[in-house]
Structures are given as structure tokens and as C-alpha cells.
């Protein structure tokens, strides 16, 4: 997971917890359903977070990522292993 994805997930989790706490501290009264605004806010937040995650991903080329293993060398030119790279 990228750092942007982790931040977005943490923000979404905090928003969910805050919303659940706020919804449980109100008194029960006979009125129009207030949860409609909560559902609307949740859908809007999910759309914003989902588009942010989708925008942070690498683009696809013809439907596929082009990935492969590349040799990794240190500053002295010694082989230290392989890393997976996508382009």
C-alpha cells in the first residue's frame, strides 16, 4: 500500500468512528430519519476516497502493467538481489 492509500484509509476509519460515536450519543425522538444525511455523507466520502485511490495508481497500458525483475546493485557495483519493477 502506498502512503496515500494508508492516509486515506486512516482518515476514512476516523470518520467512520466519529460518525458512529455521534450517532449513538443522541436521544431517541420521533422525527424524520436523520440517518439519511449520514448515509449520503458516507457515500460521498467513499466516492472521494475511491477516486483518490484510483488516481494514485499507475496507469495501465493496453490493460496490463508491464512488470519484471531487475538486478539491484549497491554503490560499489556488487549484486545485492532483484527487485520487481513495473513500467
Amino acid at each position: 500500500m502506498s502512503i496515500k492509500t494508508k492516509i486515506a484509509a486512516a482518515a476514512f476509519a476516523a470518520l467512520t468512528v466519529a460518525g458512529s460515536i455521534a450517532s449513538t450519543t443522541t436521544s431517541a425522538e420521533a422525527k424524520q430519519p436523520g440517518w439519511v444525511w449520514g448515509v449520503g455523507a458516507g457515500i460521498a466520502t467513499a466516492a472521494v476516497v475511491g477516486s483518490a485511490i484510483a488516481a494514485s495508481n499507475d496507469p495501465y497500458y493496453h490493460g496490463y502493467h508491464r512488470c519484471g525483475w531487475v538486478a539491484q546493485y549497491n554503490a560499489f557495483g556488487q549484486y545485492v538481489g532483484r527487485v520487481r519493477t513495473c513500467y
Side-chain angles (χ1 to χ4, degrees):
M1 288 176 90
S2 71
I3 202 80
K4 288 181 187 178
T5 307
K6 290 179 183 178
I7 291 172
F12 183 67
L15 183 66
T16 304
V17 169
S20 66
I21 290 171
S23 68
T24 58
T25 58
T26 59
S27 61
E29 298 175 4
K31 60 180 182 179
Q32 291 181 345
W35 56 270
V36 174
W37 292 104
V39 171
I43 291 172
T45 304
V48 170
V49 171
S51 15
I53 292 171
S56 67
N57 288 339
D58 293 332
Y60 286 97
Y61 299 101
H62 306 294
Y64 300 100
H65 276 292
R66 295 182 179 152
C67 299
W69 291 95
V70 177
Q72 185 77 24
Y73 298 94
N74 64 10
F76 303 105
Q78 299 167 337
Y79 176 78
V80 291
R82 296 184 311 164
V83 292
R84 185 170 182 250
T85 59
C86 297
Y87 51 93

